[in-house]
Amino acid sequence: MKSSTVGLATTGLVVIAGITYVIYYDYQRRKNPTYRREKKKEKKREVKQAAKTIKHDTLSTIQAVLDQVAQDNYPTLTEEKEAYFMNQVSQGESLVAKGEIHYHDSVLPFYRALKVYPKPLDLIMMYQKTIPDDIFQMIISIMSLEQKKIQNGFYEHFPPKSTYVRLAELPSLESKDDDNKESLRRGLVADKNIKSGEIIYSEYPLISAMHPSLEGYYCHFCMRRIEAGDINKTACSNCDDVVFCGTECEKQGLKQYHQFMCTNNKFNAAENGQEFQDYCGTHHLKYPQMVSRFLSSMVAEEMDSKNPDQEQQHYSSWDHMDRMRYFESLPTENTAQEIGLIKRVLNNKVPGIDKFLTDDIYLMLKGKLAYNCYPVPGSHSASEGLCDKTAADEQYRQLPSTENKVTIGTALYRISTYIGQSMDDPNIKIVFMGNNKLSVVATRDIQMGEEITTNYILPN
Ligand SMILES: [Zn+2]
Ligand SMILES: [Zn+2]
């Protein structure tokens, strides 16, 4: 297996959320060099010259709008947003009505309307049908440039300042690439001087799953041990498959993924989820569950971002996953079956899943889990006879600090996935305190700028 950092299929995010970015890609396609070359051949030389001039104007309009919207302050109250939206759209429309010479001026109001509209992609589709193509193309370009700017800012905003770590560009530990260029990797470094014994940061997983046979003995969401007489424990109200340590975990777990994956077997005959659950149980699998939870969480985030009361979240689960390194894994005899089962579970609730979850994407996600997951330790003893068997091909990073504890599942973390590997001179240890919340504790003094490393063993 070979590790890779290829960023793939950001496009998928949009498809899975049931939103059609198709128009956008249609435009990209039409903008592509071959298409344009062919088109241009048909035109006369003078026309080409004219097109160049227009192209120049287009770029300056796009830049001007980008600069302007970066300085804009947009209304936050719903009624104000509505009024602002109506005002901008009608400004745009009246400019269009005045004729082609005013087209460029209409881009700013149309784009401003987009900035306050709760479902921007719906509005984009509306624009495509109603406003002239030249204007529409400029709007699409501005949108994608703004998106690129946000993506480039990822490492400035993540990890949050409160963690005392940042993601720096460090020289790669692997051999130089084919072009003999020194390649870079993102590594976690201390953002201040840290004392031995200090907790540098703690974080909850992006996604986690425990061994299917341990459901009921540990919280389905945070993986805390649930004792038989625990008065705080709650069961899902629609199925008898999962138990939570309390109402907060139930709420979070439902919102993040269980609402999409619940078998609803309390009142009806079990839905498709039962088949999936049985399959994972029989084969002792966590990763297909983690993949489907991850896909569910993307939809949950998308739903949340449409909630006007919710503060806009810049970086999604996909943004994190997309940047993680992975093993290139090959399909097995079960791959097609697993994909089929996930699709059947999520089909009615996750629009676009059928198109999105290709073999490549599924294998990539599994490769990311194998490369980045840490084991979560539990507290039951061997004498309790709980089965925590792991499928042989579900590998993860082994941690010496959890070696003599039972492993109850695996979890994927946004920050800790970037912890460096050092067998001889690690400077932190990874600690769990009774659930899947991971803490990073300094095992010696660490200087600001020093890479954070521990002695995990990558699967081979
Ligand atoms: Zn819990
Ligand atoms: Zn349920």
Side-chain angles (χ1 to χ4, degrees), residues 181-197:
K181 270 191 308 199
E182 197 77 59
S183 51
L184 293 172
R185 68 192 164 98
R186 284 284 169 177
L188 207 59
V189 301
D191 210 17
K192 65 158 197 170
N193 294 331
I194 294 162
K195 286 258 169 288
S196 177

Side-chain angles (χ1 to χ4, degrees), residues 338-378:
E338 287 166 12
I339 294 172
L341 284 166
I342 294 175
K343 283 183 179 175
R344 282 207 287 285
V345 177
L346 301 180
N347 205 12
N348 300 326
K349 297 151 189 162
V350 179
I353 182 82
D354 205 44
K355 264 193 200 150
F356 177 77
L357 194 61
T358 58
D359 288 22
D360 285 347
I361 295 222
Y362 181 68
L363 290 170
M364 178 190 72
L365 290 173
K366 270 183 74 174
K368 292 199 180 223
L369 295 174
Y371 192 95
N372 299 289
C373 276
Y374 290 106
V376 180

Side-chain angles (χ1 to χ4, degrees), residues 236 239 258 262:
C236 172
C239 74
H258 190 70
C262 181

Side-chain angles (χ1 to χ4, degrees), residues 219-224 244-246 249:
C219 174
H220 184 63
F221 186 69
C222 78
M223 295 162 86
R224 184 188 304 284
F244 300 93
C245 71
C249 277

Side-chain angles (χ1 to χ4, degrees), residues 177-431:
D177 62 19
D178 298 343
D179 307 332
N180 208 25
K181 270 191 308 199
E182 197 77 59
S183 51
L184 293 172
R185 68 192 164 98
R186 284 284 169 177
L188 207 59
V189 301
D191 210 17
K192 65 158 197 170
N193 294 331
I194 294 162
K195 286 258 169 288
S196 177
E198 208 176 315
I199 296 179
I200 304 172
Y201 68 87
S202 298
E203 64 171 334
Y204 287 99
L206 174 65
I207 211 80
S208 68
M210 59 186 170
H211 299 308
S213 56
L214 296 176
E215 285 304 342
Y217 297 98
Y218 288 88
C219 174
H220 184 63
F221 186 69
C222 78
M223 295 162 86
R224 184 188 304 284
R225 183 73 207 262
I226 298 172
E227 303 296 343
D230 195 328
I231 51 161
N232 293 318
K233 76 171 180 185
T234 61
C236 172
S237 39
N238 294 316
C239 74
D240 53 20
D241 305 312
V242 300
V243 171
F244 300 93
C245 71
T247 47
E248 189 49 37
C249 277
E250 183 184 354
K251 205 176 108 194
Q252 291 289 331
L254 265 173
K255 187 178 160 196
Q256 210 183 92
Y257 55 84
H258 190 70
Q259 59 168 318
F260 303 101
M261 298 180 61
C262 181
T263 60
N264 291 304
N265 65 5
K266 261 189 188 165
F267 308 107
N268 309 307
E271 290 168 12
N272 286 326
Q274 195 65 55
E275 198 191 346
F276 178 57
Q277 228 169 65
D278 293 346
Y279 173 85
C280 293
T282 316
H283 294 84
H284 308 289
L285 295 170
K286 299 177 300 299
Y287 287 177
Q289 298 186 68
M290 285 178 79
V291 169
S292 61
R293 285 182 193 184
F294 170 70
L295 299 172
S296 302
S297 74
M298 281 164 60
V299 181
E301 281 169 9
E302 183 61 32
M303 282 158 63
D304 229 24
S305 73
K306 282 181 181 170
N307 176 354
D309 301 328
Q310 196 73 27
E311 207 180 305
Q312 193 70 32
Q313 217 189 336
H314 274 332
Y315 302 106
S316 64
S317 293
W318 182 268
D319 289 324
H320 288 281
M321 187 69 100
D322 194 30
R323 289 173 167 79
M324 290 182 191
R325 298 165 65 89
Y326 65 101
F327 286 123
E328 270 159 27
S329 49
L330 296 168
T332 68
E333 52 180 11
N334 296 328
T335 302
Q337 188 182 3
E338 287 166 12
I339 294 172
L341 284 166
I342 294 175
K343 283 183 179 175
R344 282 207 287 285
V345 177
L346 301 180
N347 205 12
N348 300 326
K349 297 151 189 162
V350 179
I353 182 82
D354 205 44
K355 264 193 200 150
F356 177 77
L357 194 61
T358 58
D359 288 22
D360 285 347
I361 295 222
Y362 181 68
L363 290 170
M364 178 190 72
L365 290 173
K366 270 183 74 174
K368 292 199 180 223
L369 295 174
Y371 192 95
N372 299 289
C373 276
Y374 290 106
V376 180
S379 57
H380 66 266
S381 64
S383 63
E384 287 179 75
L386 299 180
C387 173
D388 47 24
K389 207 169 145 187
T390 300
D393 66 337
E394 288 197 342
Q395 294 179 296
Y396 48 82
R397 296 180 181 184
Q398 287 174 45
L399 287 173
S401 61
T402 62
E403 219 164 39
N404 43 19
K405 292 180 182 145
V406 283
T407 294
I408 55 168
T410 44
L412 181 73
Y413 296 89
R414 293 173 182 83
I415 306 173
S416 303
T417 194
Y418 294 97
I419 293 172
Q421 193 187 21
S422 168
M423 302 319 276
D424 315 327
D425 187 26
N427 54 20
I428 64 108
K429 64 177 175 186
I430 286 177
V431 175

